[in-house]
Amino acid sequence: LPAGGAPLRLCSTREALDGVNKPVIDRVIRVDHAGEFGANRIYAGQMAVLGRSTAGPIIQQMWNQEKDHLKKFNELMVAYRVRPTVLLPFWNVAGFVLGAGTALLGKKGAMACTVAVEESISDHYNSQIRTLMQEDPEKYKELLQVIKQFRDDELEHHDIGLEHDAEAAPAYSVLKTAIQLGCKAAIFLSERI
């Protein structure tokens, strides 16, 4: 179950591939899988540093939702026969380093990272929703449902970060801008390779 949502059924492979725009679906699922994989690594890095602090339960709650997201995209990759990005080993390390590095700035640093990443991802999900709606909202109904639910979860994480003093992190504006530029680059590359 996605966090807070209804059960999402997994299409049969034949049903999933019937009449879809394969290049669009490949890009959507590949990049979303990479993003959820990276988010999991960011939260793993944050937990490695702040797991025993007062921020630990908050970070763990958000990480649990990201684990659900990654599980769903793993299933969708199989259903739609999409290969993962070849950059996963890089995102594995980069995500953990980003999470741990911002957590070393303290709870506010970790929350600033969360705000920056989740804002970028929710904007990206909104762009995908527009694309799939233009393609065929009925044909992509399941995928749209997944992306909308996960976007809402990411917006919730964004708001949690703000509620926990993200904007009070050292050099917040610079940190947020740098992380969001990294997210844009990661999205661009993961869609393509």
Side-chain angles (χ1 to χ4, degrees):
L1 275 191
L8 299 170
R9 73 175 177 79
L10 188 60
C11 294
S12 72
T13 302
R14 180 176 308 178
E15 204 178 300
L17 296 175
D18 188 31
V20 301
N21 183 336
K22 185 74 167 117
V24 168
I25 293 302
D26 284 356
R27 284 173 70 132
V28 166
I29 293 175
R30 180 178 302 112
V31 71
D32 291 355
H33 174 265
E36 297 300 347
F37 178 83
N40 270 271
R41 298 305 296 149
I42 290 168
Y43 285 117
Q46 290 180 349
M47 285 298 288
V49 175
L50 295 173
R52 293 176 186 246
S53 74
T54 57
I58 299 159
I59 295 168
Q60 185 66 57
Q61 172 193 349
M62 293 186 288
W63 189 15
N64 289 342
Q65 285 183 315
E66 298 297 350
K67 288 176 186 179
D68 290 341
H69 296 181
L70 180 57
K71 181 178 183 232
K72 182 61 182 176
F73 275 109
N74 281 331
E75 293 169 357
L76 289 171
M77 288 184 78
V78 172
Y80 286 94
R81 298 180 180 175
V82 176
R83 68 159 178 81
T85 177
V86 298
L87 297 171
L88 280 185
F90 180 75
W91 301 147
N92 181 30
V93 174
F96 189 88
V97 168
L98 177 60
T102 56
L104 287 170
L105 297 172
K107 175 185 169 187
K108 294 172 186 172
M111 293 299 152
C113 177
T114 295
V115 167
V117 170
E118 303 297 22
E119 185 175 295
S120 295
I121 299 309
S122 61
D123 288 348
H124 175 69
Y125 277 154
N126 281 332
S127 175
Q128 288 182 332
I129 290 165
R130 284 189 295 277
T131 298
L132 293 173
M133 291 295 287
Q134 289 171 355
E135 283 283 325
D136 186 341
E138 194 54 40
K139 189 181 296 180
Y140 301 109
K141 186 177 180 179
E142 178 197 9
L143 190 54
L144 280 163
Q145 181 184 0
V146 170
I147 293 172
K148 286 175 183 176
Q149 177 62 53
F150 291 178
R151 180 220 35 216
D152 293 349
D153 292 345
E154 307 305 359
L155 287 170
E156 180 185 331
H157 299 171
H158 170 272
D159 293 347
I160 289 169
L162 289 175
E163 289 166 13
H164 288 90
D165 301 322
E167 294 171 307
Y172 173 75
S173 299
V174 174
L175 184 63
K176 181 180 177 191
T177 300
I179 291 170
Q180 289 185 325
L181 285 172
C183 287
K184 285 180 183 174
I187 288 166
F188 179 85
L189 293 170
S190 293
E191 282 180 330
R192 290 159 177 80
I193 16 183

